[in-house]
Amino acid sequence: MRRLSDSEGEDTAPESRPPLRDCQGAHWKNAMGFWLLGLCNNFSYVVMLSAAHDILRHQRAPGNHSLVDPDPLPTPHSNSSRFDCNSVSTAAVLLADILPTLVIKLLAPLGLHLLPYSPRVLVSGGCAAGSFILVAFSHSVVTSLCGVVLASISSGLGEVTFLSLTAFYPRAVISWWSSGTGGAGLLGALLYLGLTQAGLSPQHTLLSMLGIPALLLASYFFLLTFPEPQDPGGSEEAERAARQPLMSSEAPEESKPDASPSLSLQERWTVFKGLLCYIIPLVLVYFAEYFINQGLFELLFFRNTSLSHAQQYRWYQMLYQAGVFVSRSSLRCCHIHFTWALALLQCLNLAFLLADVVLNFLPSIYFVFLIILYEGFLGGAAYVNTFHNIALETSDRHREFAMAAACVSDTLGISLSGLVVLPLHNFLCQLS
């Protein structure tokens, strides 16, 4: 193992320069490692949102032993509503899927660095597996929501851990991580849609995904090339250094990007204030995005189509995630510095679709499909460009903390949208 440089052009003494083939091998191992970590980390979170409609319909299908059949006969909650509403908004699943993540991300910059990376990754993988099992064998909505909470803990702990870890690798791994998280959205939503459309029950669909947490652990422990101290005392010491809490005063100074001590509270506050120009736009993007996804998707119901209500919801989730995947993988092609523009466009999306829910002026579901795809493009672009800009504009000394602090942005926006959407759902479902 060797320490990876943050700049490609850094000079190295001839006698210590590793062979080019080794450099390329390490580069691609780390690139693939972070892509798989992004994929596996967000997978359970995405699947739970894709299954939200099925989870809530459980209470409307007495006698079920595991969620519901893939395409139940429509049984509207209220005959007076044109929306075919569940009695509880899918935002309830969203809040169960995001509030534990928010708590983790708010507390992470204060003390999570004291815990080594390996235990964090093990907890994350275990919670992901537990979420699939608990929801699959659930007999009630409450139990299912407990499984969703486990998925949230897994995703939140994993995101803050792996984004912090990127500070010890070349900046290019941020693009690979972001692409992997986008891939999780697309693959998770597509698999859930495809398997349930093919006739597999939601229970067996969830159980078939238990290999994902195992892949996360394998990617972290066996695929990544961990950074090595500048003057390593052997492979065991190098690996031990890489596994230490990387912002802790106990960690070897050589294992840190800039050999810096832990940051003081005053220094952290100064760094955080400098991040607000990126945090606020990302909060707005995700507020509008998940207001649409968990507040309006269920209400954008078209009766003049062969797709059932549950199928329409799954298609919305899949198309959104497809847009996210494409844009999160586009950093090498397009770099956007002014993320405020993305926030404005996403809010316009929200206003347009909310107007359609109230006024019902779109004639076909295919118009909604296009808008949702575009919505995913904006959300994915905001995410990857925000973290790329932060990586470029923060010093090595501050980068690990900056990444951990900024990753609260999307979670805060999603949480706020869930709190607003719950009462709005009840109001709209009472409309004739």
Side-chain angles (χ1 to χ4, degrees), residues 174-175 178-179 181-182 278 281-282 285-286 289 320-343 345-346 373-390 410:
I174 296 174
S175 175
S178 298
S179 177
T181 58
Y278 293 115
L282 195 58
V285 166
Y286 273 85
E289 197 168 317
Y320 160 74
Q321 297 295 352
V324 169
F325 173 66
V326 171
S327 58
R328 287 196 181 188
S329 305
S330 66
L331 188 59
R332 292 179 180 272
C333 305
C334 179
H335 175 212
I336 301 171
H337 182 74
F338 297 104
T339 53
W340 280 100
L342 300 174
L345 292 172
Q346 197 71 292
L373 191 64
Y374 171 60
E375 175 210 348
F377 288 153
L378 294 177
Y383 181 93
V384 66
N385 282 281
T386 293
F387 287 105
H388 180 67
N389 291 334
I390 290 173
D410 56 343

Side-chain angles (χ1 to χ4, degrees), residues 3-55:
R3 178 183 172 86
L4 297 175
S5 173
D6 277 338
S7 58
E8 296 179 359
E10 186 174 339
D11 294 334
T12 309
E15 62 273 14
S16 62
R17 182 181 292 116
L20 180 60
R21 183 175 300 176
D22 291 346
C23 292
Q24 292 176 338
H27 167 78
W28 286 110
K29 283 183 69 178
N30 291 321
M32 183 55 63
F34 273 97
W35 192 89
L36 288 173
L37 289 174
L39 174 77
C40 299
N41 184 71
N42 282 29
F43 198 88
S44 59
Y45 167 81
V46 169
V47 168
M48 294 307 160
L49 292 185
S50 296
H53 194 78
D54 291 329
I55 289 173

Side-chain angles (χ1 to χ4, degrees), residues 235-278:
S235 59
E236 290 184 4
E237 180 182 341
E239 183 166 353
R240 179 183 58 81
R243 300 292 188 181
Q244 290 295 318
L246 296 178
M247 287 178 60
S248 168
S249 58
E250 298 176 2
E253 294 296 318
E254 297 87 349
S255 70
K256 301 173 185 177
D258 198 25
S260 62
S262 295
L263 305 180
S264 67
L265 287 177
Q266 179 62 37
E267 195 171 4
R268 294 182 188 203
W269 175 243
T270 301
V271 173
F272 179 78
K273 287 191 295 183
L275 296 174
L276 289 177
C277 61
Y278 293 115

